[in-house]
């Protein structure tokens, strides 16, 4: 299995956390920059891309869904930690959880957009559209705070929803993109998992 990613990408980190939780071995092709278009690994031009024995997949949620279904075994680091959920969405709450995942994907895209556009000196201060992205981030966080519980998005589990929240906000904080804290349950969720082995094994590195 080979994972193509860029340093620090919150979408690639989501996949790497799931691989670490499952104890799956993989090669990694990691770059510090956006890959030039000529070196793109698929039509979306984006990473992460997973190659598993010739099957090539992109879009982090699709890759995670593939990993959960193809490699159902889990290797818990400690019985005292909540286990990785075996599903993307709880079977009895599918549409609720799918809406949370979609909102988290949008939150992550807006955070990454602000970061990527800053290399071209386009910021929320000089671009109405990026100012709108910042409002979108705030609105998504407010909406998520109403839905998350004191025990994460799926109580009793370390869920893909939890991971899809932790990765972009950790990136937002590490790259000083904008303040995101200030919501009690989301703040607590972030702090509760920060020392989980799969998170410590996949730190947000120095550059994008
Ligand atoms: N929805 C995609 C987003 C992936 C994404 O935006 N990746 C960024 C790096 S964090 C990228 O490769 N961007 C390249 C580009 O925009 O051309 C996913 O979940 O995998």
């Amino acid at each position: 299995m080979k994972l193509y990613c860029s340093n620090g990408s919150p979408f690639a980190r989501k996949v790497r956390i799931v691989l670490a939780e499952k104890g799956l071995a993989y090669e990694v092709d990691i770059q510090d920059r956006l890959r030039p278009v000529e070196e793109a690994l698929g039509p979306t031009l984006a990473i992460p891309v997973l190659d598993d024995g010739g099957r090539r997949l992109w879009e982090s949620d699709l890759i995670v869904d593939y990993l959960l279904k193809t490699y159902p075994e889990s290797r818990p680091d400690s019985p005292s930690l909540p286990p990785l959920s075996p599903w993307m969405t709880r079977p009895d709450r599918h549409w609720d959880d799918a809406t949370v995942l979609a909102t988290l994907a949008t939150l992550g895209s807006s955070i990454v957009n602000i970061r990527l556009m800053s290399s071209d000196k386009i910021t929320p201060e000089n671009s109405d559209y990026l100012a709108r992205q910042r409002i979108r981030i705030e609105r998504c966080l407010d909406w998520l705070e109403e839905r998350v519980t004191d025990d994460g998005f799926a109580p009793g589990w370390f869920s893909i929803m939890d991971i899809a929240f932790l990765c972009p906000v950790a990136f937002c904080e590490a790259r000083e993109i904008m303040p995101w804290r200030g919501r009690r349950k989301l703040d607590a969720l972030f702090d509760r998992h920060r020392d989980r082995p799969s998170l410590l094994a996949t730190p947000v590195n120095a550059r994008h």
Side-chain angles (χ1 to χ4, degrees):
M1 217 170 347
K2 185 163 183 175
L3 183 69
Y4 297 86
C5 37
S6 67
N7 230 335
S9 160
F11 301 106
R13 188 177 186 211
K14 193 163 69 173
V15 174
R16 298 186 81 183
I17 289 172
V18 172
L19 288 163
E21 288 281 335
K22 291 189 164 292
L24 289 168
Y26 63 102
E27 268 179 70
V28 64
D29 178 329
I30 190 157
Q31 299 204 357
D32 277 342
R33 48 171 194 154
L34 281 190
R35 270 156 229 266
V37 169
E38 309 73 51
E39 292 171 28
L41 296 144
T44 67
L45 310 183
I47 55 84
V49 169
L50 180 78
D51 192 305
D52 189 12
R55 176 181 293 286
R56 195 169 270 203
L57 297 162
W58 46 86
E59 284 294 321
S60 56
D61 280 343
L62 177 66
I63 298 171
V64 169
D65 196 16
Y66 169 83
L67 291 172
L68 295 180
K69 289 185 173 131
T70 311
Y71 302 100
E73 306 77 28
S74 216
R75 194 206 56 174
D77 281 303
S78 151
S80 63
L81 294 174
L84 178 73
S85 68
W87 26 250
M88 301 289 289
T89 60
R90 290 167 289 185
D92 57 333
R93 305 286 302 268
H94 172 70
W95 294 112
D96 290 335
D97 289 355
T99 308
V100 168
L101 279 175
T103 307
L104 288 163
T106 298
L107 171 76
S109 295
S110 288
I111 289 173
V112 167
N113 273 344
I114 293 181
R115 166 74 184 177
L116 290 177
M117 298 300 285
S118 70
S119 336
D120 293 339
K121 309 241 176 319
I122 301 172
T123 69
E125 286 67 42
N126 63 26
S127 155
D128 287 347
Y129 188 65
L130 281 198
R132 185 182 175 94
Q133 303 256 24
R134 193 143 74 175
I135 293 168
R136 189 188 341 270
I137 292 167
E138 298 282 4
R139 296 270 172 96
C140 286
L141 289 169
D142 289 344
W143 185 89
L144 292 163
E145 172 73 5
E146 281 172 24
R147 272 138 196 98
V148 72
T149 75
D150 284 327
D151 191 16
F153 285 101
W157 297 97
F158 182 51
S159 72
I160 307 306
M161 293 175 278
D162 295 332
I163 299 171
F165 164 71
L166 297 169
C167 293
V169 295
F171 178 80
C172 188
E173 196 159 282
R175 300 292 190 278
E176 300 180 344
I177 293 165
M178 63 181 268
W180 70 270
R181 284 180 178 272
R183 295 163 190 85
R184 183 182 66 78
K185 288 178 284 176
L186 292 180
D187 290 0
L189 177 60
F190 185 84
D191 294 334
R192 183 159 62 252
H193 292 300
R194 64 185 330 152
D195 292 332
R196 194 172 170 106
S198 60
L199 269 70
L200 293 176
T202 56
V204 186
N205 294 319
R207 286 192 296 282
H208 177 74

